[in-house]
């Protein structure tokens, strides 16, 4: 027997209930983002290769799905297009292309698939959905706070309420290196090691800083001790001795002040000195979001004032964030969601013309109505079909009902049924749903 065809490695087939669950999540997020005044943006699934090349760093560039030239150029084996890697580079291109037609600042959200030639493994796919929200063209801290609030409400709409925004600033992180007299050349690697403090023990981080990052044991121990302390008093005191440190703390405190004044609980947004968050392009406040029951971070973001220019667009300030929608949906097992099926299943035992009219009337009432399309004339087989469709109600229109001008309306959950006039069936079924 031939082996059944499988979906390509790193991709998934999403069946009906899962598609509906995901659509409901995307719709909920869209509604939240729209309420903040963000506009949707859709870009092509692929971009010109020269738009994407060199924008993600050496390692990430290896994960770009390239598309070979087609037609008469196919034999060249060269690529000129690439599947969308994320939503940020397309955003920069759109600003460069349509900037004159866009409002300033430009606020957009994007929810859609991206593709990466990554090694597939549990929970990691080559095709997955990213959910981004960005404001381009504003230096105001209000823009950063608005992103945080939109993310918080978006997470709430997804059922994630017990979450914490861990906030830091790139200025504060680089001031940290200055305060502890750490060579700028090893600064990024030192900060990357500090970022491990929520995963490994302080002793492990101290050892790595001393053995692999070139710090003296005394400096490594003092640095980790200050960052891992129960309060931020010591690290705030040290950062307060430098201009850059004071500027970084001011960014952090202003973001927290604005978010909490707008209703975000104080315990849900905190200064976290060890949180690093991709130092390659962030320029100001940064944050990651964690929540009980979810592995790793489920949302993140920050300010990146020169990234749009680096990606080929104009040099404009920007800030944004992203919700790890795939990680959240994976943790919220589909077994916990209500299965959706037919509202009304119409069996076919004759009288097809009248049944088609009844089905059309039910759909006009907003109900999901389906007619049995199989070959069996047995009522038991058709009722099994109705049950497999998770139908709430089944309509029976056998010879007795046809002779009397009636239908039997059966509640598939309770088994209760009633004979009603076929002309009044639509109203009767509508009232059943209205009263439930």
């Amino acid at each position: 027997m031939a082996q059944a065809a499988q979906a390509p490695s790193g991709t998934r087939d999403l069946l009906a209930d899962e598609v509906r669950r995901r659509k409901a999540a995307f719709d909920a997020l869209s509604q939240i983002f729209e309420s903040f005044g963000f506009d949707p943006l859709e870009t092509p699934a692929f971009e010109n290769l020269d738009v994407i090349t060199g924008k993600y760093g050496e390692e990430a560039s290896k994960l770009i799905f390239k598309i070979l030239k087609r037609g008469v150029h196919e034999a060249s084996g060269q690529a000129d297009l690439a599947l969308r890697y994320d939503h940020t580079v397309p955003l920069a291109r759109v600003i460069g292309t349509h900037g004159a037609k866009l409002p300033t600042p430009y606020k957009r959200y994007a929810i859609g698939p991206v593709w990466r030639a990554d090694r597939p493994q549990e929970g990691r796919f080559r095709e997955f959905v990213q959910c981004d929200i960005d404001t381009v063209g504003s230096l105001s801290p209000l823009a950063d706070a608005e992103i945080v609030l939109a993310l918080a409400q978006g997470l709430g709409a997804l059922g994630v309420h017990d979450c914490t925004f861990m906030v830091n600033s790139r200025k504060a992180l680089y001031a940290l290196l200055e305060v502890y007299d750490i060579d700028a050349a090893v600064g990024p690697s030192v900060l990357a090691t500090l970022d491990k403090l929520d995963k490994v023990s302080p002793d492990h981080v101290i050892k790595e800083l001393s053995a692999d990052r070139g710090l003296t044991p005394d400096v490594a121990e003092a640095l980790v001790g200050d960052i891992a302390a129960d309060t931020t008093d010591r690290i705030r005191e040290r950062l307060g001795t430098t201009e850059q440190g004071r500027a970084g703390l001011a960014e952090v405190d202003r973001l927290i002040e604005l978010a909490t004044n707008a209703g975000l609980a104080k315990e849900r947004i905190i200064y976290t000195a060890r949180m690093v968050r991709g130092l390659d392009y962030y320029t100001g406040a940064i944050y990651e979001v964690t929540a009980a029951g979810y592995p790793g971070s489920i949302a993140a973001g920050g300010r990146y004032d020169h990234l749009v220019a680096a990606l080929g667009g104009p040099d404009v300030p920007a800030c944004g964030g992203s919700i790890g929608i795939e990680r959240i949906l994976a943790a919220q097992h589909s077994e916990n969601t209500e299965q959706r099926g037919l509202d009304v299943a119409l069996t076919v035992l004759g009288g097809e013309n009248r049944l088609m009219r009844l089905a059309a009337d039910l759909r006009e009432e907003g109900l999901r109505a389906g007619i049995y399309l199989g070959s069996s004339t047995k009522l038991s087989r058709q009722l099994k079909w109705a049950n497999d469709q998770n139908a709430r109600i089944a309509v029976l229109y056998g010879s007795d009902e046809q002779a009397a001008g009636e239908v039997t309306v059966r509640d598939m959950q309770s088994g209760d049924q009633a004979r009603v006039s076929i002309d009044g069936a639509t109203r009767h079924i509508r009232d059943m749903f209205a009263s439930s």
Side-chain angles (χ1 to χ4, degrees):
M1 176 181 285
Q3 185 176 2
Q6 302 291 319
S9 177
T11 66
R12 298 161 290 173
D13 294 316
L14 301 171
L15 302 184
D17 288 331
E18 183 66 14
V19 170
R20 292 191 184 100
R21 185 170 79 101
R22 294 167 66 85
K23 183 179 184 300
F26 302 154
D27 288 348
L29 289 176
S30 297
Q31 185 174 359
I32 294 294
F33 297 155
E34 295 262 2
S35 74
F36 279 82
F38 289 85
D39 291 324
L41 174 65
E42 292 186 3
T43 60
F46 49 86
E47 295 279 349
N48 289 315
L49 183 59
D50 58 1
V51 170
I52 291 180
T53 300
K55 303 302 192 299
Y56 298 106
E58 183 177 352
E59 289 302 315
S61 293
K62 298 176 183 178
L63 304 182
I64 293 173
F65 263 115
K66 297 178 181 179
I67 302 175
L68 297 180
K69 290 184 176 180
R70 299 143 304 283
V72 296
H73 303 290
E74 183 177 359
S76 70
Q78 297 178 334
D80 61 345
L81 302 172
L83 290 178
R84 186 171 58 208
Y85 183 87
D86 67 2
H87 293 300
T88 306
V89 166
L91 171 62
R93 179 188 55 73
V94 166
I95 293 171
T97 304
H98 305 285
K101 296 184 290 184
L102 298 175
T104 301
Y106 176 50
K107 298 166 59 175
R108 83 90 176 89
Y109 70 92
I111 302 174
V114 298
W115 294 265
R116 297 182 183 178
D118 208 347
R119 179 183 176 186
Q121 53 186 287
E122 182 68 28
R124 178 174 291 180
F125 300 97
R126 289 175 169 175
E127 179 186 58
F128 57 95
V129 170
Q130 277 192 338
C131 172
D132 288 6
I133 179 172
D134 296 87
T135 296
V136 179
S138 175
L139 285 167
S140 172
L142 296 174
D144 301 82
E146 194 174 60
I147 296 285
V148 166
L149 293 168
L151 292 178
Q153 288 193 27
L155 290 170
L158 296 176
V160 183
H161 302 287
D162 185 19
C163 60
T164 302
F165 283 75
M166 300 181 296
V167 182
N168 205 345
S169 162
R170 182 171 182 177
K171 294 185 181 72
L173 286 167
Y174 275 112
L176 201 64
L177 303 177
E178 179 184 352
V179 166
Y180 289 88
D181 198 25
I182 297 171
D183 188 346
V186 299
S189 61
V190 167
L191 293 171
T193 298
L194 292 175
D195 199 33
K196 299 178 181 179
L197 276 169
D198 60 344
K199 305 177 184 70
V200 299
S201 69
D203 288 342
H204 181 97
V205 172
I206 291 171
K207 183 177 179 180
E208 183 174 324
L209 289 172
S210 302
D212 302 332
R213 308 306 183 201
L215 272 61
T216 66
D218 288 345
V219 170
E221 187 171 347
L223 176 59
V224 172
D226 287 348
I227 288 180
D230 292 336
T231 70
T232 61
D233 293 346
R234 277 189 293 174
I235 202 70
R236 280 181 172 275
E237 182 178 349
R238 291 185 183 273
L239 290 177
T241 63
T242 72
E243 182 178 352
Q244 187 170 219
R246 291 190 293 272
L249 290 175
E251 283 183 336
V252 169
D253 292 340
R254 183 58 172 155
L255 177 57
I256 293 175
E257 177 187 26
L258 288 169
T260 53
N261 282 343
L264 190 63
K266 290 184 178 180
E267 64 272 13
R268 289 184 56 192
I269 181 166
I270 57 174
Y271 168 47
T272 307
R274 68 177 182 275
M275 202 277 294
V276 174
R277 183 67 193 155
L279 286 173
D280 288 343
Y281 55 78
Y282 284 109
T283 60
I286 54 177
Y287 43 85
E288 288 187 351
V289 186
T290 60
Y294 295 88
S297 64
I298 57 171
R303 176 161 287 277
Y304 51 91
D305 284 341
H306 304 294
L307 180 61
V308 174
L311 296 177
D315 191 6
V316 290
C319 60
S322 179
I323 290 179
I325 186 72
E326 296 284 8
R327 181 170 291 179
I328 293 171
L329 291 175
Q332 297 174 344
H333 301 298
S334 58
E335 291 84 355
N336 297 329
T337 62
E338 183 180 358
Q339 289 184 319
R340 173 76 191 277
L342 290 177
D343 293 318
V344 184
L346 292 89
T347 63
V348 178
L349 302 169
E352 290 87 349
N353 290 344
R354 191 63 185 87
L355 283 173
M356 288 291 285
R357 180 67 261 171
L358 176 57
D361 292 342
L362 291 168
R363 294 183 190 118
E364 288 182 4
E365 293 290 337
L367 298 175
R368 190 164 182 256
I371 296 177
Y372 178 71
L373 301 176
S375 58
S376 177
T377 58
K378 294 183 177 180
L379 179 59
S380 60
R381 183 69 60 86
Q382 297 195 28
L383 288 175
K384 181 182 183 303
W385 161 78
N387 188 64
D388 292 342
Q389 293 291 317
N390 297 311
R392 161 76 190 281
I393 289 172
V395 172
L396 285 58
Y397 192 45
S399 57
D400 290 346
E401 286 92 350
Q402 293 170 41
E406 297 176 336
V407 293
T408 298
V409 178
R410 177 179 294 186
D411 187 318
M412 293 295 288
Q413 295 176 346
S414 67
D416 296 339
Q417 61 184 43
R419 288 271 290 264
V420 299
S421 163
I422 191 169
D423 293 331
T426 299
R427 182 174 63 254
H428 178 82
I429 292 171
R430 181 194 63 199
D431 292 345
M432 288 180 66
F433 279 94
S435 63
S436 63

